[in-house]
Amino acid sequence: MQIIAIILAAVTAAATSIAYIRNASAGSQGQPIPVLFVRLSHVPLWVDLVCYPAWFASALLLAFALPAWAAMTVYCLAAVLPWELMRRHHNRRFKTSAPA
């Protein structure tokens, strides 16, 4: 049962990260997404109200199911890695090439 909870928490964190960054990318209107931010202005409030509790719940579940170092590792791999990969993919479209 504990293995299922860990897998469910990791999948929830990854899916929430992917959904949030896709929503941010769709509403960015040609702007790059910054690395660190509290809330993006072009993301609807309802998306924040869904995603932040999902991230918190998955982190909390991992913290209670695993030792601290393992919980942080799994959470970072599940939530932060897809977030950063999709953010970079989005921002790559808006990089301006330097004039030659």
Side-chain angles (χ1 to χ4, degrees):
M1 189 66 179
Q2 189 174 7
I3 293 173
I4 294 171
I6 293 168
I7 292 171
L8 182 65
V11 168
T12 302
T16 305
S17 291
I18 291 169
Y20 190 88
I21 204 75
R22 286 189 68 160
N23 198 313
S25 178
S28 71
Q29 302 165 353
Q31 299 173 353
I33 298 172
V35 177
L36 298 173
F37 57 88
V38 175
R39 183 176 184 282
L40 293 173
S41 61
H42 55 270
V43 175
L45 181 62
W46 70 268
V47 175
D48 287 332
L49 292 176
V50 170
C51 290
Y52 286 134
W55 282 319
F56 181 72
S58 63
L60 198 62
L61 185 61
L62 287 170
F64 284 121
L66 295 171
W69 65 270
M72 288 193 69
T73 303
V74 170
Y75 186 79
C76 286
L77 286 174
V80 177
L81 183 62
W83 173 281
E84 184 60 21
L85 291 175
M86 291 189 69
R87 188 191 67 80
R88 285 183 186 211
H89 176 72
H90 169 79
N91 288 350
R92 193 175 318 135
R93 294 184 291 175
F94 302 111
K95 280 190 178 177
T96 57
S97 58

